Amino acid sequence: MAITDDAIKQAEDRMAGKRDHAHAISARYDCRSERVIIRLHSGLELAVPPHLVEGLVGATAESLSEIEVSPSGLGLHWPRLDADLYVPALLEGQFGSRQWMAHQLGAAGGRSRSQAKRNAARANGAKGGRPRKNQA
């Protein structure tokens, strides 16, 4: 199949439509602030702590410093970590898959120390606590 000038023009027009969304033009890891700095086409720069992003948690500065921006600017890729980040999702506050995000929220809830949680634990303890599992 030969690629015609018309086919190239149509592809460029489709790509131009995708550029209506925010897209990255560069990305780097700043060791001093321990943040991934993403520069968007609008001039806006985002500073994201790697511990908030699925696939980047616990990564070394050396691994984080090698970042590839996709040709469309919609994705970031860390080859050493085999991790990817979708830029529009990042702007919506999604730092990973639904399952990963739910785990992060659950872990944060488990660490909370509110008065309501203390009262609930006391009330449960007054009833004898959590029932023991029967061993079969």
Side-chain angles (χ1 to χ4, degrees), residues 48-63:
V48 181
H51 71 271
L52 293 180
V53 181
E54 182 178 15
L56 305 184
V57 177
T60 65
E62 185 178 330
S63 298

Side-chain angles (χ1 to χ4, degrees), residues 66-108:
E66 187 178 336
I67 307 171
E68 297 173 354
V69 179
S70 71
S72 66
L74 298 177
L76 301 176
H77 178 69
W78 285 262
R80 293 182 183 190
L81 303 170
D82 194 25
D84 297 292
L85 182 63
Y86 185 55
V87 174
L90 172 70
L91 295 172
E92 292 176 2
Q94 298 173 6
F95 301 109
S97 66
R98 281 187 175 178
Q99 183 179 6
W100 187 82
M101 295 283 292
H103 180 269
Q104 300 303 309
L105 288 172

Side-chain angles (χ1 to χ4, degrees), residues 26-43:
S26 67
R28 64 183 172 81
Y29 179 69
D30 182 25
C31 294
R32 198 176 309 171
S33 66
E34 296 181 345
R35 302 281 192 266
V36 175
I37 310 297
I38 305 163
R39 185 172 179 85
L40 302 179
H41 74 288
S42 62

